[in-house]
Amino acid sequence: MPSKRSPLRRLQVVDEHRFFPAYVVWELTLRCDQPCAHCGSRAGKARDVELSREEALDVVQQLRDMGALEVVLIGGEAYLHDAFIDVIAALKAAGIRPTMTTGGQGITAELAAQMKAAGLYSVSVSVDGLEAEHNAIRLAKGSHEGALRALRLLRAAGIPTSANTNVNRVNVAVLEDLYDALKAEGIKAWQVQVTIPLGRAADRPQMLLQPYDLLDVVPRVAALKERGFKDGILVMPGNNLGYFGPEEGLLRSALEGGSDHWQSCQAGRRVMGIESDGAVKGCPSLQTAHYVGGNLKERSLDDIWANAPQMAFTRGRDTESLWGFCAECPYAEVCLGGCTFSAHAVLGRPGNNPYCHYRALEMKRRGLRERLVPAQAASGLPFDNGTFDVVVEGIDANEDAAPVVTLRQLTKVSRRPLNVLA
């Protein structure tokens, strides 16, 4: 979770022509203790082959040599990897800031103390609603209680805590109440992102926000951000929320009164993702089948970063790569189609992103809205996606065309095969 001192802020002052993995998200293992309905990696069991302790520690040295500033350890659940504490300590010793994102179910007072002693800088705990919404999304009774317990144990151990939330039609109504609950837990930062049809979320299209829902969601998040500045909580949008609506400057800025804005996808420029089997891609959420540049069991990190075309697709990206609405957008040269994995997850390739606040506003100005309709199911593999058709209709079309999903409906869908569209 970005903070005022995060390397994500420093990325704005480094040489824009120097591409290096400043910010790395590393999936230590795909093994997980929750069966979340929206999990992009479909986490649960470990991958057939994952990096060993020795291989993982070698990766740390390679990251050091390439100048990495921050590494976020994720899973599955990173703490389920045998070398979890060793990796934290190695990152710290290498001068790389180790942080973590977790669902928190396995965090104990003892583990929190070990994480602190090893040098973990901060932890972001995933909290996807109040108790009913969170437990329904995570498909695990007691998950909400476990997440809050993790926040408390980590804070007691002296580790700064933040939270992150995936926004969808299950929890969108409780964002303000969730802010209040997280404030009471003492968080210092909150990242809010949109649930995208990646992995298991692709199997549950009725769970997803429609593009026109951004007309409601973005101003509400912006209002919460203004509250956060007063409360000492930094509210930041994920890379797939926003884009050039009237609140853009407020949303992207880490400082009150700032005027930052989206500056195109950073995958393979300053950002890198590592999967637990050693696969390397430009962003942790990018679709594995399309964006893996190589494997650390076969090639060095430097070789993959420098020479794999899958790592370099954003480095020379221009407006020629855009299509559809994004090709004609007045912000095209700066935005370049928004979040890559989000666009690809919806339409099967990047360059045209319906999840855009400016686009929703422009459609509304024309008396129209866009609605996503499932077209092709996902394969059932980690970081996969199906595809959607975009239906353009009147702004006052029957809301029954895209009903709000109920908790009961979500639970019912969860029992169906994961590669079947609801």
Side-chain angles (χ1 to χ4, degrees):
M1 179 70 208
S3 68
K4 293 179 182 179
R5 296 181 59 195
S6 167
L8 290 185
R9 292 289 299 163
R10 283 182 270 160
L11 298 187
Q12 299 179 15
V13 298
V14 299
D15 181 356
E16 66 176 9
H17 299 295
R18 181 193 170 207
F19 304 127
F20 74 106
Y23 185 79
V24 181
V25 181
W26 183 357
E27 172 200 278
L28 275 185
T29 178
L30 199 61
R31 185 182 170 198
C32 195
D33 48 22
Q34 295 191 84
C36 303
H38 62 329
C39 181
S41 65
R42 301 182 182 270
K45 296 181 180 180
R47 297 179 189 271
D48 292 340
V49 178
E50 297 192 331
L51 296 178
S52 67
R53 177 186 183 278
E54 292 71 23
E55 288 170 327
L57 294 179
D58 181 66
V59 170
V60 172
Q61 300 310 308
Q62 294 185 62
L63 289 169
R64 179 203 61 192
D65 294 344
M66 294 185 69
L69 300 174
E70 180 171 342
V71 171
V72 184
L73 301 174
I74 65 167
E77 278 292 357
Y79 54 69
L80 295 176
H81 191 283
D82 292 341
F84 171 58
I85 296 297
D86 293 335
V87 169
I88 294 173
L91 288 167
K92 175 70 173 178
I96 302 170
R97 179 184 294 177
T99 64
M100 179 186 185
T101 297
T102 178
Q105 301 308 294
I107 301 293
T108 63
E110 180 182 9
L111 179 58
Q114 291 175 342
M115 292 157 62
K116 173 65 175 178
L120 194 66
Y121 181 82
S122 64
V123 178
S124 178
V125 177
S126 301
V127 185
D128 287 321
L130 304 180
E131 184 175 16
E133 295 81 14
H134 178 99
N135 287 351
I137 291 171
R138 297 273 157 177
L139 298 175
K141 188 176 181 179
S143 175
H144 183 261
E145 179 183 353
L148 297 188
R149 181 176 61 249
L151 283 170
R152 295 162 190 164
L153 290 172
L154 292 163
R155 188 170 69 250
I159 301 176
T161 58
S162 61
N164 63 87
T165 299
N166 260 271
V167 181
N168 49 62
R169 288 195 161 214
V170 179
N171 60 16
V172 66
V174 301
L175 288 181
E176 288 78 10
D177 291 337
L178 179 56
Y179 173 91
D180 289 335
L182 294 172
K183 176 185 173 183
E185 294 297 335
I187 66 164
K188 298 303 180 184
W190 184 30
Q191 184 183 69
V192 181
Q193 58 198 30
V194 174
T195 300
I196 293 297
L198 188 75
R200 291 186 192 133
D203 305 332
R204 296 169 170 85
Q206 85 287 8
M207 180 184 186
L208 306 172
L209 297 178
Q210 289 289 343
Y212 55 81
D213 288 326
L214 296 177
L215 298 172
D216 167 66
V217 172
V218 173
R220 289 169 59 199
V221 173
L224 288 172
K225 177 148 192 173
E226 291 182 320
R227 286 182 58 187
F229 280 133
K230 295 180 176 63
D231 294 334
I233 300 172
L234 178 60
V235 179
M236 290 295 288
N239 291 333
N240 59 23
L241 177 65
Y243 311 130
F244 300 102
E247 299 89 357
E248 178 73 3
L250 168 64
L251 281 174
R252 299 287 169 199
S253 298
L255 300 175
E256 188 170 10
S259 58
D260 291 345
H261 59 80
W262 173 255
Q263 298 185 37
S264 81
C265 175
Q266 293 296 306
R269 296 169 60 88
R270 309 283 188 268
V271 176
M272 181 171 68
I274 302 175
E275 295 185 352
S276 60
D277 60 358
V280 179
K281 49 190 181 180
C283 164
S285 296
L286 286 170
Q287 288 79 354
T288 299
H290 300 275
Y291 295 98
V292 168
N295 193 290
L296 292 169
K297 288 181 174 290
E298 303 166 353
R299 300 168 61 185
S300 70
L301 190 60
D302 180 70
D303 178 32
I304 296 170
W305 179 266
N307 298 311
Q310 296 90 337
M311 303 299 295
F313 71 95
T314 67
R315 298 173 191 172
R317 178 181 271 180
D318 58 27
T319 56
E320 294 298 314
S321 66
L322 305 181
W323 57 285
F325 183 98
C326 288
E328 305 299 326
C329 178
Y331 299 104
E333 291 186 5
V334 177
C335 182
L336 292 174
C339 172
T340 298
F341 93 85
S342 298
H344 194 134
V346 175
L347 298 177
R349 60 186 175 107
N352 188 19
N353 188 359
Y355 279 112
C356 168
H357 190 212
Y358 170 78
R359 180 167 172 164
L361 286 165
E362 177 61 16
M363 287 290 171
K364 181 181 179 181
R365 187 186 68 79
R366 301 176 190 177
L368 302 171
R369 71 181 191 184
E370 293 182 307
R371 179 164 53 89
L372 305 182
V373 178
Q376 182 177 353
S379 65
L381 298 174
F383 295 107
D384 64 344
N385 65 273
T387 56
F388 290 74
D389 292 329
V390 180
V391 175
V392 179
E393 58 192 11
I395 193 70
D396 296 322
N398 188 342
E399 187 65 19
D400 289 340
V404 174
V405 60
T406 66
L407 303 183
R408 181 178 179 183
Q409 287 171 326
L410 178 63
T411 304
K412 182 178 180 181
V413 170
S414 72
R415 299 190 185 105
R416 299 179 64 181
L418 292 182
N419 63 348
V420 176
L421 288 168

